[in-house]
Amino acid sequence: HAAEVGTPGVYYNFVAKSGTDAFHGGAAYYFENDSLVSDNGSDDLPDQGTTSGAGINLFSDATFQLGGPIVRDKLRFFTSWRDWRIHRDVPNFPQSENTDLFSGLVNLTYQASDKQRIEVLGTIQTYYKPNRNASAQVPPDSTWIEDDVFRIFQGHYNAQIGRAALSAVAARTPLRPSAEAVHVIQDRIRQKTW
């Protein structure tokens, strides 16, 4: 890693989209459920000890992006949201194996002057999988619940201080939420009240 990376492990650097002085956006939704797809079961599977085939109960992927001006030539925003879910059957497992992922991002850009810009970004991602390790040999009470919440906040200040010099200051903070916040998010996912 580069010297500014203080810890080992996975490292990535990304440039998030920011708003402009014109509104732009997009949305997409993909859906399928068990009535739109078949499983790979056949009439001879029960004779071989398999009571169900693998299949998709739900695949849902919704995305939304929007950016534009709040104050023309001064304050702009960009936001992006994604709700991705896949619920699938595992042969001879009595429950659905669900994976639910939610991501959100908000980016604000303030143009203080022609030579000074401040950007603030916040992002959250939740990952919920209540039957991790599901299989025909593992009973439901032996699976484990995988639920993670990640938050990152960062700020940037850029200033042109000469014809060939740029000053840049950045701060980033990955935050883990409190246990209470995690339970609220989990309840909303389970109740589908996002």
Side-chain angles (χ1 to χ4, degrees):
H1 295 309
E4 66 267 13
V5 180
T7 58
V10 175
Y11 171 77
Y12 66 95
N13 187 11
F14 71 92
V15 177
K17 288 185 177 182
S18 60
T20 65
D21 279 326
F23 285 101
H24 297 281
Y29 183 67
Y30 303 97
F31 172 82
E32 65 183 53
N33 64 12
D34 55 356
S35 65
L36 299 172
V37 249
S38 65
D39 63 22
N40 59 354
S42 64
D43 293 337
D44 62 336
L45 284 179
D47 296 336
Q48 299 172 22
T50 301
T51 57
S52 66
I56 300 293
N57 293 330
L58 171 70
F59 174 72
S60 172
D61 187 2
T63 62
F64 169 78
Q65 307 87 35
L66 180 65
I70 296 174
V71 177
R72 190 164 195 74
D73 296 326
K74 283 292 182 188
L75 185 61
R76 303 167 186 104
F77 78 97
F78 176 80
T79 186
S80 175
W81 303 92
R82 184 174 189 187
D83 186 322
W84 184 89
R85 299 166 191 262
I86 186 162
H87 301 178
R88 68 183 190 97
D89 287 327
V90 175
N92 290 348
F93 190 77
Q95 298 173 357
S96 177
E97 181 191 43
N98 301 349
T99 303
D100 298 330
L101 210 153
F102 172 78
S103 301
L105 177 137
V106 175
N107 189 8
L108 295 173
T109 304
Y110 177 67
Q111 192 75 40
S113 70
D114 289 342
K115 297 182 179 185
Q116 295 180 334
R117 184 176 68 211
I118 299 168
E119 289 184 342
V120 177
L121 177 132
T123 183
I124 184 172
Q125 183 171 14
T126 64
Y127 178 85
Y128 182 67
K129 188 169 188 133
N131 285 319
R132 184 76 169 168
N133 198 33
S135 77
Q137 291 78 30
V138 177
D141 58 354
S142 296
T143 62
W144 52 287
I145 297 172
E146 182 175 4
D147 57 55
D148 294 308
V149 178
F150 303 97
R151 294 181 185 189
I152 298 174
F153 298 99
Q154 64 185 23
H156 293 269
Y157 170 76
N158 296 321
Q160 183 180 351
I161 55 176
R163 290 176 50 98
L166 176 69
S167 172
V169 177
R172 294 171 188 86
T173 307
L175 297 176
R176 302 282 299 185
S178 66
E180 181 180 333
V182 170
H183 293 298
V184 168
I185 291 169
Q186 290 172 348
D187 289 342
R188 287 183 180 173
I189 290 172
R190 287 185 195 112
Q191 297 169 11
K192 298 180 183 177
T193 58
W194 277 106

